[in-house]
Amino acid sequence: YSPVIDHILLYRTYQKLNSTYVEGLLKVIGPDGRIHSTFNQTETRTGRISSNEPNLQNIPVRTELGSRFRKYFIAPRGSVLLDADYSQIELRVLAHLSGDEALQQAFLHGADIHRTTAAKMYGVPNEMVTGQMRSSAKAINFGIMYGKGAFSLGKDLGISVKEAQEFIDAYLGAYPKVKTFMEKTISDGRANGYVSTLYGRRRPLPELNAANFNIRSQGERMAMNTPIQGTAADVIKLAMVRVYRRLAAEGMRAKLILQVHDELLLEVPADNAPAAGERLAALMSGVRPGGVALDVPLAVDWGQGENWGVAH
């Protein structure tokens, strides 16, 4: 192992960030000093809105180095940016769709869902859950929704397939109705030829009846994920409509400028920011997909700042 490898990998990281988010974005700044993206409503099969030319939904946030780029998106003088996002919306949708009481109770009592899951999986009290236990539970919470099996999960966690399968079994034992929901979703999708979101939007899935095992397995993963991610996509779209109409009607001079899946970014006059932030959170948490109130609350976190990095 040569120490030069670390330097090469670091160089490649900086090179990628520079070419995509420095040079790339500088090229597309308009005459008004802003970057204008195109948003597509029908491009993704789960119903999420996508962004291109440039993709403003892909600005890094998960790493300290990458997240610095959000600080370069600034509000005009006299205004601030409001950033509001749904907290763990897909897990909340899963809790509603599956009807699992244990999962719902965690959200109803405002618990840390990943810590609660870890406690159930490892059979220990909440206060004895370690950071590593919580990280494993978090990976499984999200992995289950994307239909990940023991092999993929084991790779993510750096454990054996056998250990990963034991984790999955423990998870499904803790939340038994999640397993029932997943199985029913696949069987109904196979019989109907499609799966639906809570809003009633359908996604055809001919893959579920494919003769090829790999294609059929891919169809099963899409069947499990689509009602969850698709319903979350419906919720944020309904929220955008509510926010646009209500803020305009109330004359709050707030402008919706970006959507990043479960996150909305608004530009508002600085003196109007606190009121607009509270109104924004209330509007987002009050969405009823298909006219149905979820069995768990839609929690919304929001912040404000002179740039996107501070507001998030």
Side-chain angles (χ1 to χ4, degrees):
Y1 177 80
S2 171
V4 75
I5 293 174
D6 291 332
H7 293 289
I8 292 172
L9 291 174
L10 184 60
Y11 170 77
R12 291 177 65 180
T13 297
Y14 277 105
Q15 185 183 47
K16 170 64 177 175
L17 290 172
N18 181 62
S19 62
T20 304
Y21 303 111
V22 180
E23 295 174 352
L25 292 178
L26 285 173
K27 291 177 182 176
V28 293
I29 296 176
D32 59 356
R34 293 175 177 259
I35 293 174
H36 299 269
S37 180
T38 299
F39 295 91
N40 313 294
Q41 289 207 62
T42 57
E43 193 166 292
T44 67
R45 294 187 67 188
T46 58
R48 276 184 164 187
I49 292 176
S50 64
S51 164
N52 68 310
E53 297 182 359
N55 182 358
L56 293 180
Q57 295 178 328
N58 200 33
I59 308 301
V61 69
R62 298 190 184 280
T63 64
E64 191 279 329
L65 177 62
S67 63
R68 293 183 195 176
F69 288 95
R70 290 197 168 201
K71 295 181 180 179
Y72 301 129
F73 291 82
I74 62 175
R77 188 182 301 275
S79 296
V80 297
L81 298 180
L82 283 183
D83 186 295
D85 69 287
Y86 284 111
S87 174
Q88 300 168 334
I89 185 171
E90 292 187 0
L91 281 170
R92 292 172 188 270
V93 170
L94 174 61
H96 174 84
L97 293 176
S98 67
D100 190 275
E101 292 85 355
L103 196 55
Q104 290 181 358
Q105 285 302 312
F107 285 120
L108 289 169
H109 289 94
D112 178 337
I113 187 62
H114 303 311
R115 182 173 294 276
T116 299
T117 298
K120 290 181 177 294
M121 286 172 50
Y122 289 95
V124 299
N126 270 29
E127 58 271 18
M128 291 183 64
V129 172
T130 65
Q132 182 58 49
M133 289 178 179
R134 186 183 182 280
S135 293
S136 297
K138 183 176 181 180
I140 295 171
N141 270 330
F142 289 111
I144 289 290
M145 290 190 297
Y146 287 90
K148 284 190 176 182
F151 179 81
S152 295
L153 189 62
K155 190 175 180 181
D156 290 346
L157 295 175
I159 59 177
S160 69
V161 174
K162 182 175 181 293
E163 289 174 303
Q165 187 58 55
E166 289 173 353
F167 275 157
I168 292 174
D169 292 341
Y171 177 94
L172 296 176
Y175 304 123
K177 287 191 176 180
V178 170
K179 181 180 181 180
T180 303
F181 164 70
M182 295 295 191
E183 291 174 345
K184 186 176 188 303
T185 299
I186 292 171
S187 63
D188 287 351
R190 186 166 284 126
N192 298 327
Y194 64 86
V195 294
S196 301
T197 69
L198 192 58
Y199 194 68
R201 187 167 47 78
R202 296 179 179 181
R203 177 182 182 179
L205 280 176
E207 294 90 343
L208 286 172
N209 291 303
N212 182 284
F213 173 80
N214 290 331
I215 295 176
R216 194 166 64 250
S217 297
Q218 182 185 32
E220 291 175 355
R221 289 191 293 273
M222 291 188 291
M224 286 186 281
N225 176 247
T226 295
I228 301 167
Q229 190 179 107
T231 297
D234 292 342
V235 167
I236 194 73
K237 287 180 181 178
L238 290 167
M240 291 171 71
V241 173
R242 295 189 85 206
V243 168
Y244 173 79
R245 289 177 176 171
R246 187 67 64 83
L247 294 183
E250 295 181 3
M252 299 193 76
R253 295 181 295 149
K255 183 189 299 181
L256 181 60
I257 58 175
L258 183 63
Q259 186 255 47
V260 185
H261 306 314
D262 57 358
E263 173 186 359
L264 295 182
L265 191 66
L266 280 75
E267 178 186 301
V268 301
D271 59 357
N272 210 15
E278 294 293 343
R279 172 58 74 192
L280 174 61
L283 290 169
M284 290 175 66
S285 62
V287 171
R288 302 288 182 263
V292 177
L294 299 188
D295 292 332
V296 296
L298 284 172
V300 177
D301 300 318
W302 72 274
Q304 68 180 69
E306 61 185 16
N307 65 64
W308 192 7
V310 173
H312 183 71

